[in-house]
C-alpha cells in the first residue's frame, strides 16, 4: 500500500516539475529523494545520500564522457568542421544531390570524432546550410538535413547515450560501440535516401546558382591534415576498441590528444582555445554527472517501490510475445525522446525496464542499440528535437518549417532501421561476437 502511494506521489511531482521546466537533474533528484523518504523515512534516505552520489560519480566507466567531450571541443574550436564541409563542397562539384548525401555522411563522420549531437548540428547549421541554400535547397530541407546529420552522433560511437546505457546496465561500452557500427551506417543510408527523394520532388523548383559561385580557398595541406586526423581518430576509437588495443577510456584519451595535436599544427591553439575547450567540457561533464546522480537516487526509489515487478505482473500475457512487447517499449521511448533529453530518458527508464528485458530474454546489447536509434530520431522529432532547435538557432530558419521536413526523416528512419533491427538482430550482435 505504501509503495502504491509513493509511486502516485512521485509521478505527480515528477510531471509537475517537468511541466514547469525544471532541470532534468533537479527533477530526478527531487523525485528520488521524495520517493525514498516516503518508503523508508529519514534513516534510509540518509544512508543513500551518504554513499550513492559518490559511488555513481566515481565510476571509472564515466571517465569516458569528459574525454570524448574534450575531443569534441578541440575539433569544434579548431574549425575542423568547416574545413571538412569545404572539402565536401569541392567533392560534390556542384551536383546538388551528391552535396546532400555527402553532408549526411559528414554528419556521421563528425559524430564519430565528436560525440556531441547538438554541437555537430549547430556547426553544420553554420557551415552547411548556407551552401545548401546557395545550391537551391529549400530552407526547410537544408536545415532538416543538417539537423538529421548532426543527430547521428547519438548512434555513431563515441555516443554519450551508449556510454550512459552501458554504465547503467553494466555491460561493456566497447561492445556497444562496435555493435552500433552497422546500424549507424544504416541510419546514414536512410537519411541519404530521404534526401535524394526530396530533391526529386523539388526538381524543377530549385533555383541553381550561377556557375561562378565563389568558393573559399583552403590550402591543400590543411585538407590533408584534417583527413589524416579524422582517419586516425576514427581508427583509434573503432579499431583500437575492436582489436582490444584500447579500452573506451583510453580511446577517448588518444582521440583528444590527436585533436589537440591537429589544432596545434593548424595554429589554432592559444589561451582562448584552451580556456573555451576546458570550460565547455566542464559544463557538459558536470551536467551529465548531476543527471547520473539524480537518476541513481531515482533508480533506488524505483527498486524499493517494486515498480518493475508490478509492471511485469501487468505485462504478464505479453512476456510470451517479445516482439509485441518491444514495439510497445519503443513507442514509449519514441514519445519520451520527443520531450526529454536522451541521457535523462536512459537513466530514468532503464532501471525500470531492466528486469522486464531480462525476464523476456532480450539481448541487452541489441536493445541498447535499438534505443540509441530511437534517441537519434528523437533529436529531430517535434516538439523538442534538440538538434532541430540547434540548427534553427544558428540559421534563423523558422522551427515549424524545419520540423515539417525533419519529421519525415525521423519516421522513415524509425520504420526502416527500427524494423530491420527487430527483424534481424544480427545487425547489432554480429560484430561484437567477432571482437578479440
Amino acid at each position: 500500500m505504501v509503495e502504491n502511494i509513493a509511486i502516485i506521489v512521485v509521478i505527480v511531482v515528477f510531471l509537475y516539475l517537468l511541466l514547469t521546466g525544471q532541470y532534468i537533474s533537479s527533477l530526478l533528484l527531487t523525485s528520488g529523494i521524495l520517493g525514498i523518504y516516503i518508503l523508508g523515512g529519514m534513516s534510509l534516505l540518509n544512508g543513500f545520500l551518504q554513499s550513492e552520489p559518490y559511488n555513481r560519480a566515481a565510476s571509472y566507466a564515466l571517465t569516458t564522457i569528459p574525454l570524448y567531450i574534450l575531443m569534441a571541443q578541440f575539433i569544434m574550436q579548431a574549425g575542423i568542421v568547416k574545413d571538412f564541409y569545404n572539402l565536401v563542397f569541392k567533392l560534390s562539384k556542384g551536383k546538388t544531390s551528391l552535396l546532400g548525401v555527402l553532408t549526411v555522411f559528414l554528419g556521421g563522420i563528425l559524430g564519430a570524432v565528436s560525440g556531441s549531437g547538438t554541437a555537430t548540428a549547430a556547426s553544420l547549421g553554420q557551415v552547411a546550410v548556407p551552401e545548401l541554400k546557395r545550391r537551391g535547397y529549400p530552407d526547410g530541407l537544408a536545415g532538416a538535413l543538417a539537423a538529421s546529420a548532426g543527430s547521428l552522433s547519438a548512434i555513431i560511437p563515441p555516443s554519450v547515450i551508449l556510454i550512459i546505457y552501458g554504465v547503467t546496465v553494466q555491460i561493456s561500452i566497447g561492445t556497444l560501440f562496435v555493435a552500433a557500427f552497422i546500424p549507424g551506417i544504416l541510419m546514414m543510408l536512410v537519411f541519404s535516401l530521404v534526401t535524394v527523394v526530396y530533391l526529386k520532388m523539388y526538381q524543377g523548383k530549385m533555383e541553381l546558382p550561377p556557375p561562378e559561385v565563389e568558393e573559399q580557398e583552403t590550402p591543400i595541406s590543411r585538407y590533408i591534415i584534417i583527413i589524416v586526423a579524422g582517419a586516425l581518430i576514427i581508427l583509434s576509437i573503432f579499431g583500437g576498441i575492436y582489436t582490444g588495443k584500447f579500452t573506451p577510456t583510453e580511446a577517448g584519451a588518444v582521440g583528444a590528444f590527436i585533436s589537440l595535436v591537429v589544432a596545434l599544427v593548424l595554429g589554432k591553439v592559444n589561451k582562448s582555445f584552451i580556456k573555451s575547450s576546458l570550460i565547455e567540457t566542464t559544463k557538459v561533464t558536470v551536467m551529465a554527472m548531476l543527471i547520473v546522480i539524480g537518476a541513481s537516487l531515482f533508480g533506488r526509489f524505483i527498486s524499493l517501490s517494486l515498480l518493475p515487478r508490478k509492471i511485469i505482473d501487468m505485462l504478464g500475457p505479453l512476456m510470451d510475445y517479445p516482439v509485441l512487447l518491444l514495439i510497445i517499449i519503443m513507442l514509449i521511448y519514441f514519445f519520451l525522446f520527443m520531450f526529454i533529453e536522451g541521457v535523462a530518458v536512459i537513466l530514468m527508464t532503464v532501471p525500470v525496464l531492466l528486469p522486464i528485458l531480462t525476464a523476456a530474454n532480450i539481448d541487452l546489447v541489441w536493445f541498447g542499440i535499438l534505443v540509441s536509434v530511437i534517441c537519434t530520431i528523437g533529436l529531430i522529432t517535434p516538439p523538442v528535437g534538440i538538434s532541430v532547435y540547434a540548427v534553427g538557432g544558428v540559421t534563423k530558419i523558422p522551427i515549424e518549417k524545419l520540423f515539417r521536413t525533419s519529421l519525415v526523416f525521423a519516421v522513415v528512419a524509425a520504420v526502416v532501421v527500427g524494423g530491420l533491427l527487430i527483424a534481424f538482430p544480427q545487425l547489432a550482435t554480429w560484430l561484437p561476437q567477432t571482437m578479440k
Side-chain angles (χ1 to χ4, degrees):
M1 184 63 181
V2 176
E3 290 88 354
N4 293 336
I5 293 173
I7 291 171
I8 293 170
V9 171
V10 167
I11 289 175
V12 170
V13 171
F14 183 92
L15 291 174
Y16 173 76
L17 293 175
L18 182 63
L19 293 173
T20 54
Q22 299 299 311
Y23 287 115
I24 199 70
S25 55
S26 303
L27 187 153
L28 291 171
L29 192 63
T30 303
S31 301
I33 288 174
L34 179 61
I36 294 170
Y37 178 76
I38 294 173
L39 291 174
M42 203 64 200
S43 58
L44 181 62
L45 179 59
N46 277 335
F48 282 128
L49 289 177
Q50 288 172 10
S51 60
E52 198 65 22
Y54 174 78
N55 290 338
R56 277 295 180 178
S59 170
Y60 175 74
L62 289 177
T63 56
T64 53
I65 294 177
L67 289 170
Y68 287 121
I69 297 300
L70 182 61
M71 178 177 70
Q73 289 302 318
F74 286 158
I75 289 169
M76 300 300 173
Q77 298 289 340
I80 292 175
V81 175
K82 188 171 184 178
D83 290 333
F84 262 123
Y85 196 77
N86 286 339
L87 178 61
V88 164
F89 187 78
K90 289 180 181 293
L91 291 175
S92 71
K93 295 180 179 177
K95 296 178 181 177
T96 306
S97 58
L98 182 58
L99 181 60
V101 171
L102 288 176
T103 301
V104 172
F105 277 83
L106 175 61
I109 293 170
L110 292 175
V113 298
S114 77
S116 173
T118 306
T120 302
S123 297
L124 286 175
Q126 288 175 321
V127 299
V129 172
E131 297 299 342
L132 290 170
K133 289 168 66 176
R134 287 168 62 191
R135 289 291 165 186
Y137 280 65
D139 288 359
L141 179 57
L145 180 57
S148 301
S151 72
L152 289 168
S153 61
I155 181 67
I156 301 286
S159 163
V160 175
I161 298 295
L162 291 175
I163 294 171
I164 295 295
Y165 177 83
V167 171
T168 306
V169 301
Q170 298 183 341
I171 57 178
S172 167
I173 293 172
T175 301
L176 287 170
F177 280 3
V178 172
F181 184 78
I182 294 176
I185 297 295
L186 281 175
M187 289 292 289
M188 288 192 284
L189 290 174
V190 168
F191 285 165
S192 298
L193 181 61
V194 173
T195 302
V196 171
V197 171
Y198 255 114
L199 290 174
K200 291 291 183 184
M201 291 169 54
Y202 283 116
Q203 200 170 31
K205 302 177 184 177
M206 298 171 65
E207 296 180 6
L208 296 177
E212 65 271 9
V213 171
E214 69 279 2
E215 297 179 16
Q216 183 178 345
E217 285 300 325
T218 304
I220 298 298
S221 59
R222 190 176 175 97
Y223 287 138
I224 294 173
I225 291 170
I226 63 170
I227 290 172
V228 171
L232 284 175
I233 292 171
I234 293 172
L235 282 174
S236 68
I237 294 172
F238 283 106
I241 293 173
Y242 181 76
T243 59
K245 300 296 183 185
F246 300 139
T247 64
T249 302
E250 291 167 345
V254 171
F257 177 74
I258 294 172
S259 302
L260 179 59
V261 170
V262 173
L264 280 167
V265 172
L266 295 176
K268 294 292 185 178
V269 177
N270 52 34
K271 183 180 178 180
S272 175
F273 175 93
I274 298 296
K275 182 179 177 181
S276 299
S277 298
L278 293 179
I279 287 175
E280 290 302 316
T281 300
T282 303
K283 285 180 181 178
V284 176
T285 303
V286 170
M287 178 196 71
M289 291 298 181
L290 287 174
I291 293 174
V292 167
I293 291 169
S296 175
L297 289 169
F298 187 77
R300 290 293 186 182
F301 159 70
I302 294 295
S303 300
L304 291 169
S305 66
L306 304 177
L307 183 59
R309 176 51 54 189
K310 296 177 190 293
I311 294 175
I312 289 174
D313 293 338
M314 288 172 54
L315 296 176
L318 290 177
M319 299 304 285
D320 296 328
Y321 303 95
V323 173
L324 182 59
L325 179 64
L326 276 169
I327 291 173
I328 294 172
I329 291 173
M330 287 303 107
L331 287 174
I332 293 171
Y333 267 121
F334 188 77
F335 179 78
L336 289 174
F337 283 128
M338 285 167 60
F339 294 95
I340 306 174
E341 200 271 333
V343 170
V345 172
I346 297 294
L347 290 167
M348 285 190 303
T349 57
V350 170
V352 179
L353 293 175
L354 191 55
I356 300 170
L357 299 172
T358 304
N361 294 317
I362 293 173
D363 187 284
L364 295 180
V365 172
W366 171 82
F367 182 77
I369 301 306
L370 189 57
V371 169
S372 295
V373 169
I374 302 300
C375 181
T376 301
I377 294 165
L379 288 170
I380 56 174
T381 306
V384 194
I386 298 174
S387 287
V388 175
Y389 275 98
V391 171
V394 297
T395 62
K396 308 304 179 188
I397 298 173
I399 293 297
E400 61 273 13
K401 187 178 287 189
L402 294 175
F403 273 135
R404 202 176 300 134
T405 307
S406 70
L407 184 59
V408 176
F409 281 83
V411 171
V412 174
V415 172
V416 175
V417 181
L420 284 174
L421 278 173
I422 292 175
F424 305 102
Q426 297 83 1
L427 290 170
T429 58
W430 174 67
L431 266 184
Q433 293 170 356
T434 64
M435 287 177 68
K436 294 184 180 179

